Amino acid sequence: MSRYERWNAILELLAREGRLSVERAAEALDVSAATIRRDFDQLAQQQMLMRTRGGAVAQSVSYDLPLRYKTARHADEKQRIAEAAAALVAPGAIVGMNGGTTTSEVARALAVRADPEAGFTIVTNALNIAAELTVRQNVKIVVTGGVARPQSYELIGPLASEVLERVTLDIAFLGVDAIDADGGAWAHHEGEASVNHLLIRRAAEVVVVADASKIGRRAFARICTLDAVGTLVTDEGLSDEAAARFTDAGVKVVRA
């Protein structure tokens, strides 16, 4: 288990239990107590938990983890989701996407599938996606302006909005922190939610890409209601009952 995977596991335990001792964490993760103490100290320095005597308590009820820590979560599911999502893009399309681990996988899958002659255009506010695909000769990258959030590498603010107001998209892939059939799609940060809302407004087709762990939940800021979403691409962990709720709301569900 890598350090980032271990940190993810610690924070998920804290989210469930609220308080965690060094011994409990060491037993759950099958590592030494010394390793857990170092992990607790480093996470406390980043204000992701609060140290107590012999353990740690949750800093908040919901964690907006930096993107580099999220990458290891549900990696296989995200790759399958990305392949299914990329298959929805026609050659030469203008594609919008926000930041996140799942949309980053979609960008990689698109780069592999891209027609060498037609190619495609990606409009994004995600610095990591732009940097990774800039070297691809068959991909045109359009990056919004804005202020970068280190947690997600997304550009937010009025400069990002100004660029998005001037473009039209054939399809937009929306990564979310949570989505539910009643409330719609959600983000932890209100600035990201605002830019993401504008991104999907510019698109003829909107596809949410999210693994099953994010479905049936809500986060702080709403991106859009469900009537703005045409397709949900997720993994086989989504139950038939949950899928039916989205289908009843007019959303096509693809389980990869």
Side-chain angles (χ1 to χ4, degrees), residues 52-73:
T52 61
R53 184 177 180 85
V57 295
Q59 182 83 343
S60 65
V61 296
S62 179
Y63 296 100
D64 186 10
L65 292 176
L67 187 69
R68 62 188 181 277
Y69 303 155
K70 295 179 181 178
T71 302
R73 286 179 167 177

Side-chain angles (χ1 to χ4, degrees), residues 79-91 105-106 109-111 113-114 171 173 205 207 209 233 252 254 256:
Q79 288 174 3
R80 293 197 301 270
I81 290 167
E83 290 292 336
L88 302 175
V89 178
E105 289 292 346
V106 173
L110 279 173
R113 297 174 60 96
I171 186 170
F173 291 107
E205 181 181 359
V207 179
V209 288
V233 183
K252 179 182 178 181
V254 177

Side-chain angles (χ1 to χ4, degrees), residues 99 124-134 143-144 146-149 152-155:
T124 185
N125 67 326
L127 291 172
N128 63 308
I129 291 174
E132 186 166 336
L133 296 192
T134 296
V143 185
T144 69
V147 179
R149 283 199 76 226
S152 63
Y153 306 146
E154 285 190 69
L155 298 168

